[in-house]
Amino acid sequence: MTESFHRSGEHENPYEGQQQAPVNPEWPPPPAYAPAHAPHPKKRTRGPLALIAAVAIVAAAIGGGTAYGIQELTGNDTVASSSTSTNVVPSSQKGTVAGVAKAVSPSIVEISAESNAGSSTGSGVIITSGGEIVTNNHVVAGASQIKATTSDGKSYTAKVVGTDSKKDLALIKLENASGLKAATLGDSAGLQVGDQVVAIGSPEGLSGTVTSGIISALDRDVTVPTEEGQDQGQQQWGQGQGDQWPFEFGGRQFNGDTGNDTTTYKALQTDASLNPGNSGGALIDMNGNIIGINSAMYSPAGQASSSSDAGSVGLGFAIPIDTVKADLAKLRAGSTD
């Protein structure tokens, strides 16, 4: 936004049209004595608009980015968002996996979901101190009961706020939660192949697991199911053996049959190890900003009958965080798409 401002000393010249001595154009001084009949200079408005503009400038200078999804000026429903230049990691540990893990792990939860098909485990990212959590739709689809456990071991009951199966996203809200550490949502538009990343989640129920790697490709068209329990991979997931979620890429299907009802989205590809249970967890840049929500992984076991045969081979996919931010208002409004 471009704004123009007048310096506080500027005013209309009451002697316009009269010959005057040259003055310094950089800062014209006012006349020593204004004639009694001279008109009063116009006063600048110094009300709420001026105050808001000043506050906005100060906030941008301090925050290093723009606020996103602010519902209230104060409270616990404010989403922290920034450009990827914002450093969440302490300067002494900047650029290290250990620094990222220490800074972001308190914002990642393990999610346990119960449904008619069985139980499952996934991950989620806290986006507000009041307990709003972003995760994958397939982690909570059809769940009759959801529990989330924070990094300090506290367990909360959660309810689904909104879902978007076309983007494999869901927003859940913890009950009676406050004072949680919200993650900072970064900017995925500026990512490049080769950028270092860290993944945090709960693979196989091992909460707080940290892996690292790079962005190995951008804008991958990944196809996933939109309906719960329509495929063998989801049946495995429903039997408590992890979230070995099937997906399709390049005309080939992985981890089971994706079925007939599918959706395709642009994904980040990473070689950071993702295993069953990482779904819904965070993909993070080296400044500690969330740049993706982990959503799918390739398993060499294909349609194996046991998740113990599954494992990461460096092909994982994440939903870009810009997609999440664009969908957040819809999820908060209670979408059930």
Side-chain angles (χ1 to χ4, degrees):
M1 179 176 66
T2 302
E3 296 183 5
S4 59
F5 297 88
H6 295 286
R7 294 186 176 90
S8 59
E10 292 180 352
H11 58 281
E12 291 185 351
N13 186 358
Y15 304 106
E16 185 175 358
Q18 300 182 24
Q19 186 175 1
Q20 300 182 46
V23 295
N24 185 350
E26 292 297 321
W27 194 262
Y33 299 97
H37 64 277
H40 294 290
K42 292 182 180 180
K43 296 182 179 179
R44 292 179 60 197
T45 301
R46 295 187 178 277
L49 291 178
L51 177 60
I52 291 173
V55 171
I57 293 171
V58 173
I62 294 176
T66 56
Y68 176 86
I70 297 178
Q71 292 186 331
E72 300 173 349
L73 292 179
T74 58
N76 57 12
D77 287 330
T78 299
V79 178
S81 180
S82 73
S83 67
T84 52
S85 62
T86 299
N87 198 356
V88 180
V89 181
S91 57
S92 61
Q93 294 182 304
K94 183 178 180 180
T96 67
V97 174
V100 172
K102 183 176 181 180
V104 184
S105 288
S107 301
I108 311 302
V109 300
E110 177 183 321
I111 296 175
S112 300
E114 301 286 343
S115 69
N116 293 334
S119 62
S120 63
T121 301
S123 306
V125 179
I126 300 172
I127 62 170
T128 64
S129 61
E132 285 186 329
I133 293 174
V134 170
T135 186
N136 288 142
N137 177 63
H138 76 257
V139 171
V140 297
S144 57
Q145 183 178 356
I146 302 172
K147 289 187 177 181
T149 304
T150 56
S151 62
D152 58 3
K154 293 183 179 179
S155 183
Y156 298 86
T157 299
K159 299 293 184 182
V160 174
V161 176
T163 60
D164 187 344
S165 60
K166 292 182 174 58
K167 296 182 177 67
D168 196 17
L169 290 172
L171 181 69
I172 65 175
K173 179 72 181 290
L174 306 186
E175 296 183 343
N176 303 316
S178 63
L180 301 179
K181 184 175 181 179
T184 300
L185 306 187
D187 177 10
S188 54
L191 294 174
Q192 300 181 50
V193 173
D195 283 348
Q196 291 183 299
V197 291
V198 173
I200 303 180
S202 299
E204 302 289 4
L206 302 174
S207 61
T209 296
V210 177
T211 58
S212 64
I214 63 169
I215 296 292
S216 54
L218 300 170
D219 298 326
R220 291 297 200 196
D221 288 323
V222 174
T223 300
V224 298
T226 59
E227 297 295 331
E228 177 209 8
Q230 66 181 29
D231 53 86
Q232 183 176 352
Q234 177 66 15
Q235 290 168 8
Q236 291 179 356
W237 176 83
Q239 293 171 1
Q241 297 179 0
D243 61 343
Q244 190 179 336
W245 190 238
F247 67 94
E248 179 181 337
F249 175 73
R252 298 176 59 195
Q253 294 186 342
F254 303 95
N255 304 341
D257 183 5
T258 54
N260 297 320
D261 194 356
T262 61
T263 185
T264 301
Y265 58 80
K266 298 288 186 181
L268 305 174
Q269 181 179 303
T270 179
D271 69 348
S273 294
L274 301 181
N275 291 283
N278 271 113
S279 285
L283 192 65
I284 313 156
D285 68 19
M286 297 310 291
N287 288 326
N289 302 294
I290 311 299
I291 49 96
I293 300 297
N294 299 322
S295 58
M297 52 154 285
Y298 166 66
S299 166
Q303 299 185 22
S305 59
S306 171
S307 65
S308 61
D309 296 327
S312 175
V313 292
L315 284 175
F317 301 94
I319 302 166
I321 201 63
D322 288 357
T323 300
V324 178
K325 291 191 291 187
D327 210 34
L328 190 54
K330 177 180 178 180
L331 294 173
R332 278 177 160 165
S335 169
T336 56
D337 291 350

